[in-house]
Amino acid sequence: MRTSIVLTLVRPSLSISRHGRCPHAYSQIRNQSAYTLESYLVTPAQLSSSLKKNVYSRLSTAPRIVPLCAAWFMPNDPDHRTGYKTFLEKRIPKARFFDLDKVKDEKSPYPHMLPSPEVFAKEMGKLGIRRDDSVVVYDTVELGIFSAPRVAWTLKVFGHHAVHILNNFKLWVEQGFPTEKGVPESVEEVYYPVPELEENKVVLFDEMRERVLERGKDGAEEVIVLDARSKGRFDGSEPEPRPGMIF
C-alpha cells in the first residue's frame, strides 16, 4: 500500500493565473553562477564563508546569496515581540525581511494562506531578490528555527529553488559572526517574473477533507497527517492563538 505524508498546512481555495516559465533555463542559470551552498540546511560558518565569496555590487548582475529574515512571533506573545522589531534589533548584514503577515492571501479568513503568484512576485521584487539569487532563510536569535521553514517552503512552492535554511541565527550570534541593527539601507527594486505555483506541494482543503473521510476504507490511499504545532496546541492543553487552526 502506498503511503503519503501530508502536512496540516492546507489552503481552502486556490485561483492562480498561468504564466510561462522555463525551469530548465533557471537551472542553467544556477549552474553557471557562483553557487557555493550545496546543502538545504547550512551552518553559520558555511553561510559566512559563502557571503565572503559572494560580494555585493550594484553593477553586477551575477546571482547573489541573500540572507532573508523570516522572524515571526505568535499574536499572543507575552513580551509583545514582532518579527520586524527583532529584525531591526539584530540581523545578518544586508539581510532582507520577509513579512509573513503581509505576503499572504488577504482575502482569506484563515491566517497566512499562500499569496497569489502576482503578489509573491511583486513582494520578492520589492525585496530586491532576483529569480536566480540563492536565498538563505533564518529566524530570530530567541527561537533559532521556527518560521524560517515556512518561508523557505513558500519560496520553493513558487519555484524559487535556490533556497536554504540557516541552522541557525542563535548559533550565528553565539559563534561571533557579524550582525547589524537599525533601519536597513534601502534596496533597489528588481523585476521578479510571475511564477507558477507548484501544485504538487500544496494540498487543498477539499482534498484534505476527502482523504481524511476516506481513511481506512478499502482501496483508499493511506495518509499520515503531521501537525507542526506545539504539543500543547495539538492536544488542547494550551489556547489556540490562531483562528482556523483547529483539527
Side-chain angles (χ1 to χ4, degrees), residues 10-217:
V10 297
R11 189 176 185 187
S13 62
L14 180 65
S15 177
I16 64 174
S17 300
R18 294 296 181 183
H19 297 267
R21 181 169 64 91
C22 179
H24 178 64
Y26 287 117
S27 177
Q28 286 185 320
I29 292 173
R30 285 181 55 200
N31 291 336
Q32 294 169 359
S33 69
Y35 190 71
T36 56
L37 294 170
E38 298 181 355
S39 61
Y40 182 56
L41 202 62
V42 301
T43 67
Q46 289 171 331
L47 175 58
S48 176
S49 175
S50 295
L51 287 173
K52 290 176 181 178
K53 300 174 184 177
N54 194 262
V55 180
Y56 278 58
S57 170
R58 290 185 179 274
L59 299 179
S60 174
T61 58
R64 303 156 302 165
I65 295 176
V66 181
L68 185 63
C69 178
W72 184 82
F73 292 90
M74 286 290 184
N76 64 340
D77 182 70
D79 298 321
H80 305 289
R81 295 170 294 183
T82 67
Y84 189 65
K85 181 179 179 181
T86 60
F87 172 75
L88 295 179
E89 292 172 349
K90 193 186 296 287
R91 63 179 177 272
I92 295 175
K94 298 188 182 299
R96 320 291 164 84
F97 179 73
F98 189 98
D99 193 344
L100 265 172
D101 289 325
K102 180 180 179 182
V103 189
K104 63 179 182 179
D105 182 356
E106 295 285 357
K107 297 180 180 179
S108 174
Y110 304 104
H112 298 156
M113 294 294 102
L114 285 171
S116 69
E118 290 80 8
V119 168
F120 175 80
K122 181 179 180 180
E123 294 301 326
M124 291 291 279
K126 286 182 179 179
L127 291 172
I129 298 176
R130 298 191 290 254
R131 184 59 182 262
D132 57 344
D133 286 338
S134 298
V135 179
V136 180
V137 192
Y138 72 94
D139 248 299
T140 68
V141 67
E142 297 94 338
L143 300 177
I145 293 181
F146 179 57
S147 55
R150 166 57 200 266
V151 171
W153 173 80
T154 298
L155 267 64
K156 279 185 168 291
V157 85
F158 281 115
H160 195 111
H161 298 295
V163 180
H164 309 267
I165 292 178
L166 177 65
N167 187 23
N168 57 55
F169 188 47
K170 184 174 186 294
L171 293 177
W172 175 280
V173 173
E174 291 177 351
Q175 293 172 9
F177 292 103
T179 61
E180 64 181 16
K181 63 180 180 179
V183 178
E185 295 181 9
S186 60
V187 297
E188 183 179 354
E189 186 170 343
V190 299
Y191 170 71
Y192 193 100
V194 176
E196 286 188 32
L197 184 138
E198 298 188 4
E199 298 183 39
N200 63 335
K201 292 184 171 66
V202 181
V203 177
L204 302 184
F205 178 82
D206 290 338
E207 181 184 351
M208 181 70 176
R209 182 176 182 277
E210 182 179 349
R211 288 188 176 215
V212 171
L213 292 176
E214 295 295 317
R215 193 173 182 177
K217 295 183 180 180

Side-chain angles (χ1 to χ4, degrees), residues 227 229-240 245-247:
D227 193 316
R229 295 177 298 171
S230 65
K231 185 178 184 302
R233 292 171 65 199
F234 174 76
D235 61 26
S237 61
E238 296 176 3
E240 175 53 59
M245 295 297 292
I246 299 175
F247 297 91

